[in-house]
Amino acid sequence: MKTEALYFAIRNTKLLVGAGIILVLLGIGVIGPFFIDKPPTEYVGMQMQPPGGEFWLGTNTFGQDLWAQFVHGLRTTFLVGALGGGIAAVIGMVVGFLAGYKGGWIDEILNMLTNIVLVLPTLAVLFILNAYIGVRSAGMQALFIGLTQWPWAARSIRAQTFSLRGRDFVDLARLSGVGSGRIIMREIAPNMSSYLLLTFILLFGGSILIASSLDFIGLGPTDAVSLGLMLQQAHQWSAMHLGLWWWFVPPGAGITLIVGALYVANVGLDEVFNPKLREL
Amino acid sequence: MLKLDGVTKVYRIGAFGGQTMTAVDDAGFEIKPGEVVSLIGESGSGKSTIGKMVLRLLPPTSGTISIDGRDVRGIGRRDYYRKVQGVFQDPFSSYNPVFKADRVFAMIREVYFRGVPDKEWTAKIEAALDAVRLSPAAVLNKFPHQLSGGQLQRLLIARALLLDIEYLVADEIISMLDASTRIDVLNLLADLKQRGLGVLFITHDLALGNYISERTVVLHKGRIVEYGPTDAVFEQPEHAYTKKLLASVPQLHTKWEDAS
Amino acid sequence: MTLEVDDLRVYYRTLKGDVQALDGVSFPLRDGEILGLAGESGCGKTTLGKALIRLDGRMKHVGGSVTLDGQVLPIGDDAKMNPYRFKHVSLIPQYSMSAMNPTRKIGRMVRELLESRREKLDLDELHNRLDLVELPKDVLGKYPIELSGGMKQRMVMVISTLLNPSLLIADEITSALDVSTQKAVVTTLKGFRDRGFVKSMIFITHDISLTNQLADTIMVMYAGKLAEKAPASTVVNAPKHPYTQLLISSLPEVGVRYADKRLTGIPGNPPSLLKPEPGCRFRDRCPLAFEKCAEDPPPVEVEKDHVVACWKAA
């Protein structure tokens, strides 16, 4: 089973291309900052320099190094994506597993909660929160995204759990005196592992997109640089009119690449795990 | 003695449980140690629901199930499952497909035989496998899809034998097996009687029920329509439904036209 | 002769190689004949049934031919088979409960199906046939969900035989049914043949007792090959192939009790059909096996209409 998945994985171009792009960008975001000694917001030199030997991606109207910003921005973006996606995935799993396995009134209560969060006007809530919390960190942003993005994951996990619950091996585990928590973790979850991975990837990509949009409308972190914030500043200081394409193209391309590659990898993974989609 | 008394199961269906559906209505019968009781019914008759209630996978809406006069609700689940076990219809669905088949043994060990040393445990498994006529080399350390349906069902019976079971609920356990191997699993079940085991044999196949059991319960739409010694039920059926069932069974050496 | 199957080979493609699911089966089917195709899981009976109407993506036609009413069926070519399906060869699927489109009223579905085959709907004939299976005419104005399981099954039987196909394939259609419904389905199928709605029929099942109620001829398959083919009563009462003999003797009947007569099964399992060894495929489980069984036993007509593939029987 596992070797079979591996067999298809290393032959799936979509997965290889998607994962390759992600790994390269992740590498830049993780390792890159160690090679840049100055903080990304420092004014390092000439203003509005086009990309060149000294400043790879040029400088902006304030004389900040855009390569430094891009590298740190990638790091923040990945961090928000992983954290936001991770929080959403964990909440989605807990709610989905519990509701699907336990059923009855627990299911009804959790379902109600899911539906409430699902229809919550996220943006309005964020504006209100923003008014109360002054300094926003990337972590806060991730937390907020995680807390609002779990419902659809919970719903689909619930549905899958519900159908697995009816399988005989779950009954057999109960007949072996195994408790509910262990049954969920050790009987049901392993059967959905590929699905859970796909869910996490989708949440990861979704979080990055949401974070970028939040950054762009000015609700981004105040103490860090992110790709979304770079875009926002480029927009605010009329980079487009001034012809400073190197200010907004790299962060825009970065976000598009990450999210696009994630989705391509996701489609590839789907083909690896789902025999019906495989091309023989 | 395992005894069902006035056992009823009502499901609430529809929005907010507004409607009800009675799956089992006032079922009462008993299984003595060392006998096979077949519970015969068509799909939707409630036979599997009864099996699940006896296994405490579903709570009855009313009525009591007792073991040696003790209401099972008063017995802890782990203690209960030490005495009462089940095997289900679909051998492939009974095993978690991502794990090896012998994990069903490991689960029992984890819960019931934590302190038992490896050597003793291996001997215990070998004895259980021997009782179901499986060779350890052929079935241990394999994935479910590498084994045949018959082997998987035997493995599940062996799993039950690891415990000190007194009663076994066998829910259609051979209906998905091939003809050439099913009869051996059935014989195995019959042999367990000699160990003093009481078996509730749930089936839709009258010939199988007739072959193996001492007593027969015929279930129709959740109600017991006929209950008695197997000979009597099959030779002098009293209820019209039992008669109709018997007339519909395809017999190998008799054609329907000739029978009527 | 409606159907002539000659040395048909259909393999399944898998990662590990080809599974020789159907490996050289030949048989004729006469006009008006009902052939019961029996055997255990993996014997190739379903593959044979599928091969006659539609190969799925993993199956490939390796050799042999199928001739229906004098025309060679292009079984390897999905598109070319289309004009034959439903008109000349028709299938009652195993799960007919879910074979109907849930969003269409049944009448409309039937009309669309006929249009796709460029046929006109003969409403009187349809009503006649509904009468015959005891379905009221107004089912045509209903959605499939409004019908009970048994009604759906009968409806599908009517639809698949509406164009009077030469050959009807029924694949395990009774295995999910209760005994009383089984009997009704089998009786209806027989009625279809007697009235000429279908010229001939292949009834695929694992249940020999049930096949015997319906079939004129029974063909027993084992591991992708024909084991024995004979008139139904011969297969049941005087089988010649050791596999058939053991199989028949392992079947419990009402009246046979464990305490009086202990039946036994056949030890062992069928061989893997991924690169099977040459020779009789039953020999590992056969009590009569001898040296000659290392060679493939050819099907031999031991008496009229009785074909056996076994060195000991010939």
Side-chain angles (χ1 to χ4, degrees):
Chain A
M1 179 73 202
K2 275 180 190 130
T3 50
E4 196 186 350
L6 197 66
Y7 175 92
F8 283 104
I10 54 175
R11 279 165 182 76
N12 191 299
T13 358
K14 291 185 189 116
L15 178 61
L16 294 181
V17 169
I21 295 175
I22 298 290
L23 283 179
V24 168
L25 290 173
L26 185 66
I28 296 174
V30 171
I31 305 163
F34 294 115
F35 293 94
I36 294 164
D37 35 11
K38 294 184 182 126
T41 44
E42 192 154 302
Y43 309 105
V44 288
M46 302 279 289
Q47 294 161 359
M48 298 202 269
Q49 286 291 309
E54 196 184 348
F55 304 110
W56 293 357
L57 288 179
T59 58
N60 60 15
T61 40
F62 311 109
Q64 291 168 319
D65 182 0
L66 286 172
W67 170 250
Q69 292 208 343
F70 180 74
V71 168
H72 278 95
L74 264 182
R75 185 183 258 198
T76 314
T77 297
F78 271 113
L79 192 75
V80 170
L83 219 66
I87 292 170
V90 167
I91 300 176
M93 277 192 242
V94 170
V95 171
F97 279 139
L98 270 182
Y101 184 71
K102 285 287 183 186
W105 61 270
I106 294 182
D107 182 30
E108 285 189 25
I109 290 175
L110 288 177
N111 240 330
M112 203 186 292
L113 183 71
T114 311
N115 288 332
I116 290 174
V117 177
L118 203 61
V119 298
L120 216 59
T122 322
L123 215 53
V125 175
L126 198 65
F127 278 126
I128 295 166
L129 279 180
N130 195 37
Y132 285 96
I133 307 164
V135 177
R136 296 181 305 267
S137 64
M140 280 293 291
Q141 191 184 37
L143 185 67
F144 177 79
I145 293 171
L147 287 178
T148 50
Q149 293 309 305
W150 56 269
W152 71 263
R155 282 188 155 211
S156 53
I157 291 171
R158 171 187 173 271
Q160 293 235 351
T161 309
F162 193 77
S163 78
L164 282 170
R165 182 183 73 159
R167 301 273 290 276
D168 288 342
F169 65 79
V170 172
D171 277 344
L172 210 70
R174 290 170 73 188
L175 289 187
S176 304
V178 180
S180 302
R182 288 190 125 185
I183 289 181
I184 291 174
M185 294 306 295
R186 294 175 53 182
E187 303 294 325
I188 293 179
N191 272 286
M192 305 167 48
S193 52
S194 59
Y195 184 78
L196 296 175
L197 181 64
L198 294 177
T199 305
F200 173 69
I201 290 176
L202 284 180
L203 286 170
F204 187 99
S207 298
I208 289 177
L209 270 188
I210 293 169
S212 306
S213 327
L214 291 178
D215 294 349
F216 194 75
I217 58 171
L219 293 173
T222 46
D223 63 347
V225 178
S226 75
L227 296 184
L229 273 178
M230 283 176 76
L231 275 179
Q232 190 237 347
Q233 285 172 2
H235 171 74
Q236 206 169 359
W237 304 103
S238 315
M240 191 100 88
H241 301 292
L242 297 172
L244 304 177
W245 58 266
W246 55 87
W247 197 350
F248 57 84
V249 169
I255 292 170
T256 314
L257 262 181
I258 295 175
V259 177
L262 276 174
Y263 284 108
V264 171
N266 188 50
V267 172
L269 266 183
D270 212 9
E271 286 172 2
V272 168
F273 291 131
N274 189 344
K276 281 184 204 140
L277 298 175
R278 280 179 200 153
E279 295 158 20
L280 253 181
Chain B
M1 191 164 69
L2 187 78
K3 190 166 188 245
L4 281 78
D5 199 11
V7 170
T8 300
K9 179 73 193 175
V10 180
Y11 285 107
R12 300 201 157 273
I13 48 173
F16 307 107
Q19 284 161 302
T20 58
M21 200 267 296
T22 306
V24 177
D25 190 8
D26 191 24
F29 62 91
E30 60 204 32
I31 307 162
K32 297 193 189 86
E35 75 166 356
V36 178
V37 173
S38 22
L39 182 57
I40 293 178
E42 297 187 299
S43 55
S45 63
K47 59 187 193 299
S48 285
T49 308
I50 290 184
K52 286 203 150 123
M53 287 193 286
V54 171
L55 288 171
R56 294 177 70 185
L57 294 170
L58 281 177
T61 311
S62 62
T64 51
I65 299 171
S66 59
I67 194 164
D68 300 327
R70 226 177 124 196
D71 191 326
V72 299
R73 278 169 294 196
I75 306 174
R77 270 178 195 274
R78 289 200 172 171
D79 291 332
Y80 185 68
Y81 290 143
R82 201 184 274 274
K83 288 185 184 167
V84 182
Q85 273 296 333
V87 179
F88 304 115
Q89 174 172 12
D90 183 350
F92 292 94
S93 160
S94 296
Y95 290 84
N96 200 331
V98 293
F99 299 113
K100 290 194 170 143
D102 51 20
R103 183 162 170 274
V104 295
F105 295 154
M107 270 199 295
I108 294 280
R109 186 183 189 186
E110 229 170 73
V111 176
Y112 291 98
F113 300 95
R114 271 182 171 276
V116 174
D118 284 355
K119 216 171 152 193
E120 200 178 313
W121 179 249
T122 313
K124 207 169 159 58
I125 285 185
E126 274 167 12
L129 288 178
D130 188 51
V132 297
R133 291 181 213 100
L134 282 176
S135 86
V139 293
L140 295 181
N141 215 16
K142 296 244 167 94
F143 281 100
H145 65 265
Q146 295 172 308
L147 300 172
S148 71
Q151 286 174 319
L152 290 173
Q153 293 297 60
R154 282 158 191 261
L155 215 53
L156 286 181
I157 297 173
R159 166 191 167 275
L161 294 180
L162 290 174
L163 300 160
D164 333 300
I165 56 162
E166 293 166 15
Y167 298 96
L168 185 72
V169 176
D171 188 355
E172 296 271 13
I173 65 166
I174 59 168
S175 62
M176 295 189 60
L177 303 184
D178 275 325
S180 71
T181 50
R182 67 188 346 193
I183 197 73
D184 292 324
V185 175
L186 199 59
N187 285 336
L188 192 65
L189 217 51
D191 291 343
L192 292 178
K193 288 193 287 197
Q194 270 126 37
R195 289 174 164 236
L197 202 68
V199 179
L200 178 62
F201 182 68
I202 301 175
T203 186
H204 69 281
D205 190 324
L206 286 91
L208 299 181
N210 174 254
Y211 178 73
I212 190 178
S213 61
E214 272 72 36
R215 282 185 300 140
T216 297
V217 179
V218 181
L219 203 62
H220 181 50
K221 292 187 177 160
R223 290 191 142 267
I224 291 179
V225 295
E226 194 133 359
Y227 172 33
T230 300
D231 294 333
V233 171
F234 279 82
E235 277 154 35
Q236 288 117 23
E238 286 181 8
H239 197 278
Y241 176 73
T242 319
K243 288 179 189 160
K244 181 179 156 221
L245 264 189
L246 277 165
S248 310
V249 182
Q251 287 275 48
L252 190 57
H253 296 286
T254 335
K255 293 219 179 190
W256 283 323
E257 301 98 272
D258 305 336
S260 55
Chain C
M1 204 73 73
T2 313
L3 180 77
E4 184 78 54
V5 173
D6 185 35
D7 197 31
L8 186 61
R9 286 168 206 274
V10 174
Y11 294 175
Y12 279 92
R13 274 182 285 239
T14 69
L15 281 179
K16 291 176 195 147
D18 286 347
V19 172
Q20 307 183 1
L22 187 63
D23 201 17
V25 171
S26 309
F27 65 94
L29 189 59
R30 277 188 290 267
D31 293 355
E33 185 175 347
I34 297 181
L35 174 74
L37 189 51
E40 302 178 89
S41 51
C43 73
K45 58 186 193 297
T46 297
T47 311
L48 176 55
K50 278 186 175 173
L52 297 178
I53 187 155
R54 184 171 188 274
L55 298 178
D56 71 34
R58 296 183 303 133
M59 293 161 77
K60 65 174 179 196
H61 178 205
V62 179
S65 65
V66 177
T67 315
L68 181 68
D69 296 327
Q71 291 182 36
V72 176
L73 289 182
I75 60 165
D77 189 327
D78 197 32
K80 282 197 189 144
M81 266 305 279
N82 241 345
Y84 294 94
R85 294 190 188 118
F86 191 35
K87 248 185 194 170
H88 302 281
V89 197
S90 199
L91 171 87
I92 306 178
Q94 181 171 3
Y95 298 101
S96 52
M97 314 295 169
S98 52
M100 285 189 280
N101 185 340
T103 63
R104 292 266 193 289
K105 282 184 180 163
I106 291 168
R108 189 174 154 204
M109 199 189 71
V110 173
R111 212 168 302 119
E112 287 177 354
L113 192 61
L114 287 170
E115 276 164 15
S116 75
R117 288 286 176 279
R118 301 180 201 293
E119 293 283 333
K120 272 189 73 87
L121 173 64
D122 183 344
L123 204 61
D124 290 337
E125 183 59 28
L126 179 59
H127 286 166
N128 275 344
R129 296 195 180 184
L130 289 178
D131 267 354
L132 205 72
V133 296
E134 291 167 17
L135 281 174
K137 289 187 187 67
D138 63 4
V139 291
L140 296 176
K142 288 186 175 170
Y143 287 99
I145 193 160
E146 296 175 79
L147 272 59
S148 73
M151 288 168 89
K152 273 188 243 180
Q153 177 96 35
R154 278 177 280 161
M155 192 65 227
V156 170
M157 282 174 17
V158 167
I159 295 174
S160 36
T161 54
L162 202 54
L163 293 181
N164 296 354
S166 292
L167 173 65
L168 179 69
I169 300 163
D171 186 3
E172 292 279 7
I173 57 168
T174 54
S175 51
L177 301 177
D178 289 325
V179 280
S180 44
T181 327
Q182 264 182 6
K183 187 175 177 181
V185 166
V186 165
T187 314
T188 310
L189 283 180
K190 230 175 168 172
F192 279 7
R193 190 267 315 259
D194 295 345
R195 284 165 200 271
F197 296 172
V198 296
K199 225 196 274 174
S200 56
M201 194 187 304
I202 297 183
F203 184 79
I204 304 173
T205 180
H206 63 278
D207 188 340
I208 294 189
S209 316
L210 187 67
T211 315
N212 187 34
Q213 305 296 328
L214 164 81
D216 306 305
T217 309
I218 295 179
M219 180 161 110
V220 178
M221 289 183 63
Y222 185 80
K225 287 181 180 286
L226 184 153
E228 183 160 16
K229 176 174 174 287
S233 59
T234 311
V235 167
V236 168
N237 297 310
K240 283 223 154 78
H241 196 288
Y243 172 64
T244 322
Q245 289 169 346
L246 289 171
L247 190 64
I248 297 280
S249 71
S250 75
L251 300 175
E253 281 191 88
V254 172
V256 175
R257 300 291 306 271
Y258 166 82
D260 313 329
K261 180 185 170 195
R262 191 180 166 120
L263 303 172
T264 51
I266 311 175
N269 293 304
S272 158
L273 297 183
L274 205 73
K275 304 185 197 87
E277 287 177 32
C280 174
R281 292 183 177 175
F282 186 60
R283 70 177 188 278
D284 290 344
R285 299 170 79 185
C286 183
L288 305 180
F290 65 123
E291 311 87 67
K292 191 127 173 84
C293 298
E295 287 169 48
D296 242 338
V300 174
E301 191 161 16
V302 290
E303 55 196 357
K304 193 180 176 308
D305 293 331
H306 190 168
V307 177
V308 186
C310 174
W311 292 114
K312 285 277 184 184

